[in-house]
Amino acid sequence: MVLCSPQNPLQNGSLKPASRSLSPLPPSRTYDANIPGDFYYHLSRKPISIIKSQLHRNCSTLIRPPNLNGTDNETWCDWAPFDQDNYKTLFGAVDNSFLVAYAIGMFFSGIFGERVPLRYYLTIGMLLSGLFTCLFGLGFYLNIHSIWYYAFFQAMNGLVQTTGWPAVVACVGNWFGKGKRGFIMGVWNSHTSVGNILGSLIAGVFVSSAWGMSFIVPGIIIASTGVLCFFFLVESESDLLARILKASQTLVRTMLIAVYVQEDNEKEPLLQNSSSNEEIFSSPGQSNSISSEPAEEHTKAISFCGALRIPGVMEFSLCLLFAKLVSYTFLYWLPLYIANVAHFDPKEAGDMSTLFDVGGIVGGIVAGLVSDQTGGRASTCCVMLILAAPMVSVHSHIRHHWLLTMWMLLVCGALVNGPYALITTAVSADLGTHESLRGNSRALSTVTAIIDGTGSIGAALGPLLAGLISPTGWNNVFYMLITADILACLLLSRLVYKEVRGWCGHSPRHRG
């Protein structure tokens, strides 16, 4: 028997897939679910910079335990293999194992991110990142002193962490338009700096007693958060509408079946003349006319070369290379620099280094707000990079005046991380939805991966060069950072010129 009365809501078409013309739904759920994503990626990659000053210490200032075996009084407190004179080179090798793998993997991550459900992609990445972070920390308890062990698990961690940034930027970009994108993503991007801060504080708790826990605790946290992302992440408005529609249709079907059974249970069995459950809700010739899922868009994902041809992608990618070089040099070497220059213990040096990330929070929000108001993404980045160069130079000369140094850490963090945050969030989202794509919505993850992947090359070069240059003097490291800032500005000159002409009325202004 078939329900085919005119009052059947499933037959007369009153229950249809949701239209994209519906008013936007509140994005708070996906916004909150995305915050833990890259927040915990950064939390788990920060401890390595904190424990460096614990792995290689000035043993002459410490009291040697009487029952300690060995005769080397200069390195008894160090952790092999970082107890030799080439310890800075070894630190650079461990850093670059992560960063090179991250840079290489990022170029492929966006391609996979456009073709795999982002919820599954993030969950797998966070679970594996937690595993490799914990395995690095287990080296302390297993008494492992092989550089290859630590380099290998850092490289694997860098590879799986490429699942994070393209996926979360794509998710947030799906929910917000361009009008307030800079400010909203500036606020949202602050979670990366908060992750760095929390990672530093967690690592600082254990660094002097059992540095292995500085990795194991963040590893457990990020793996646990991956499980939460699997259950609560909503990728886009259409994904949320699909879930609501499916639940609504299931409820209506159940109610109609219950009513029908109650009225006709004495006449004949419900499924006597039906070959499947779907026939109950179909009229003759209309089988399977109702779908429980809204129609999906079948737009072909953009190719790697196609994404490179989007106007502005190359300039911003190369600019980010040098901006990220500066940012990650501070990220990986600032605690060791503070410990060496000020003779702070590892925990105090790690705590002070968080001021750089605090400034980064403010810088990212200010950069997004200013670029929204002016419409000049490139100009905003260029101005902040120009101001960052002399600030880095001044910071290198006042390092013995610690009140001024704390202030300069805040200012440098804002000016260095502001452009970095703007390019990796709002600019990536702008270019991933550029007008030249003609509405193709499946380019955002690929564009984000290209920009951040190119920037990650700089992130790998910065700590490596710092490890090679620092034995000649810390001032030379700061000169390298100033040079990188200047090069980043020059690479944006064409886009800045275009924006300035737009403000003067000579040509239309387009972001990106």
Side-chain angles (χ1 to χ4, degrees):
M1 179 174 290
V2 177
L3 290 181
C4 56
S5 64
Q7 289 77 22
N8 183 357
L10 291 173
Q11 180 182 332
N12 63 20
S14 61
L15 186 60
K16 296 181 178 179
S19 170
R20 291 292 294 172
S21 62
L22 293 176
S23 58
L25 294 171
S28 59
R29 184 177 176 186
T30 190
Y31 192 84
D32 293 339
N34 270 311
I35 287 178
D38 215 60
F39 171 91
Y40 290 108
Y41 280 111
H42 277 256
L43 181 148
S44 65
R45 73 180 65 162
K46 181 64 176 179
I48 185 64
S49 66
I50 304 300
I51 69 162
K52 285 178 180 177
S53 54
Q54 178 68 21
L55 298 179
H56 187 93
R57 310 172 67 185
N58 184 2
C59 300
S60 62
T61 62
L62 303 175
I63 300 176
R64 179 172 177 168
N67 59 346
L68 186 66
N69 296 325
T71 58
D72 194 338
N73 294 324
E74 295 183 358
T75 62
W76 65 267
C77 65
D78 297 335
W79 185 271
F82 306 102
D83 57 346
Q84 304 300 317
D85 293 337
N86 65 339
Y87 71 97
K88 289 184 180 179
T89 302
L90 295 180
F91 284 149
V94 173
D95 292 342
N96 274 272
S97 298
F98 177 95
L99 295 169
V100 171
Y102 186 87
I104 294 173
M106 185 61 71
F107 289 103
F108 299 97
S109 176
I111 298 174
F112 288 113
E114 299 288 2
R115 294 161 174 81
V116 178
L118 297 179
R119 184 160 58 97
Y120 301 147
Y121 198 48
L122 269 176
T123 299
I124 293 172
M126 296 179 79
L127 290 174
L128 290 176
S129 179
L131 172 64
F132 293 132
T133 302
C134 289
L135 287 173
F136 189 100
L138 283 175
F140 172 80
Y141 294 99
L142 299 177
N143 202 29
I144 296 175
H145 297 279
S146 171
I147 185 65
W148 297 107
Y149 176 89
Y150 299 106
F152 174 77
F153 284 114
Q154 276 290 85
M156 295 304 297
N157 200 10
L159 192 62
V160 298
Q161 288 212 5
T162 60
T163 59
W165 194 245
V168 295
V169 171
C171 285
V172 176
N174 287 337
W175 283 90
F176 297 102
K178 291 186 178 182
K180 298 291 185 180
R181 179 175 284 169
F183 174 70
I184 290 172
M185 285 194 158
V187 174
W188 170 76
N189 183 70
S190 66
H191 72 264
T192 61
S193 294
V194 176
N196 290 335
I197 294 171
L198 187 58
S200 298
L201 296 177
I202 292 176
V205 172
F206 303 103
V207 63
S208 298
S209 56
W211 61 260
M213 293 300 295
S214 297
F215 292 89
I216 293 174
V217 172
I220 293 173
I221 292 174
I222 188 174
S224 302
T225 309
V227 177
L228 295 178
C229 268
F230 177 80
F231 289 107
F232 296 108
L233 177 65
V234 180
E235 298 178 18
S236 64
E237 179 184 341
S238 60
D239 182 31
L240 180 58
L241 291 174
R243 296 189 191 186
I244 295 174
L245 178 62
K246 186 174 182 179
S248 300
Q249 288 185 332
T250 301
L251 177 62
V252 172
R253 285 173 184 267
T254 303
M255 293 174 62
L256 288 175
I257 291 174
V259 172
Y260 179 78
V261 171
Q262 183 177 358
E263 292 179 352
D264 297 288
N265 59 0
E266 295 182 358
K267 297 179 181 180
E268 59 180 292
L270 178 64
L271 302 179
Q272 180 177 356
N273 298 321
S274 300
S275 60
S276 65
N277 290 344
E278 282 76 11
E279 292 186 28
I280 298 174
F281 301 99
S282 304
S283 60
Q286 279 190 312
S287 178
N288 299 325
S289 61
I290 304 299
S291 172
S292 62
E293 298 287 347
E296 295 182 358
E297 297 179 0
H298 295 284
T299 307
K300 184 179 179 181
I302 193 171
S303 66
F304 183 86
C305 294
L308 285 177
R309 288 194 291 269
I310 299 173
V313 168
M314 289 296 296
E315 287 95 334
F316 277 113
S317 296
L318 293 174
C319 172
L320 184 63
L321 187 152
F322 291 103
K324 211 167 180 180
L325 182 153
V326 177
S327 179
Y328 269 66
T329 301
F330 276 102
L331 176 69
Y332 279 90
W333 286 91
L334 185 58
L336 183 62
Y337 165 75
I338 294 174
N340 285 353
V341 173
H343 306 294
F344 283 12
D345 65 38
K347 184 179 185 305
E348 291 174 339
D351 291 345
M352 178 168 283
S353 69
T354 61
L355 293 174
F356 183 83
D357 292 299
V358 173
I361 296 174
V362 178
I365 295 173
V366 171
L369 185 60
V370 171
S371 67
D372 279 342
Q373 297 298 319
T374 62
R377 306 285 200 216
S379 300
T380 302
C381 291
C382 193
V383 170
M384 296 186 79
L385 288 169
I386 290 173
L387 294 175
M391 289 296 178
V392 170
S393 176
V394 171
H395 180 270
S396 68
H397 292 291
I398 65 169
R399 57 179 183 255
H400 295 292
H401 305 279
W402 287 105
L403 288 178
L404 288 176
T405 298
M406 293 172 65
W407 171 251
M408 292 305 301
L409 283 173
L410 292 169
V411 175
C412 285
L415 295 175
V416 169
N417 284 342
Y420 162 36
L422 184 62
I423 293 173
T424 54
T425 54
V427 170
S428 296
D430 287 349
L431 297 176
T433 55
H434 196 272
E435 59 185 9
S436 64
L437 296 172
R438 300 177 182 177
N440 186 347
S441 60
R442 300 187 63 189
L444 184 52
S445 184
T446 300
V447 170
T448 301
I450 290 174
I451 292 176
D452 199 44
T454 306
S456 296
I457 297 174
L461 288 174
L464 174 63
L465 293 175
L468 297 175
I469 297 173
S470 58
T472 67
W474 286 106
N475 282 340
N476 294 329
V477 176
F478 285 107
Y479 296 149
M480 176 195 72
L481 300 180
I482 294 169
T483 303
D485 267 335
I486 294 173
L487 291 174
C489 292
L490 293 177
L491 287 166
L492 290 181
S493 57
R494 185 187 70 85
L495 296 178
V496 171
Y497 176 73
K498 183 178 178 181
E499 289 176 352
V500 172
R501 282 181 60 86
W503 292 330
C504 297
H506 292 91
S507 62
R509 182 172 75 250
H510 300 291
R511 290 172 185 163

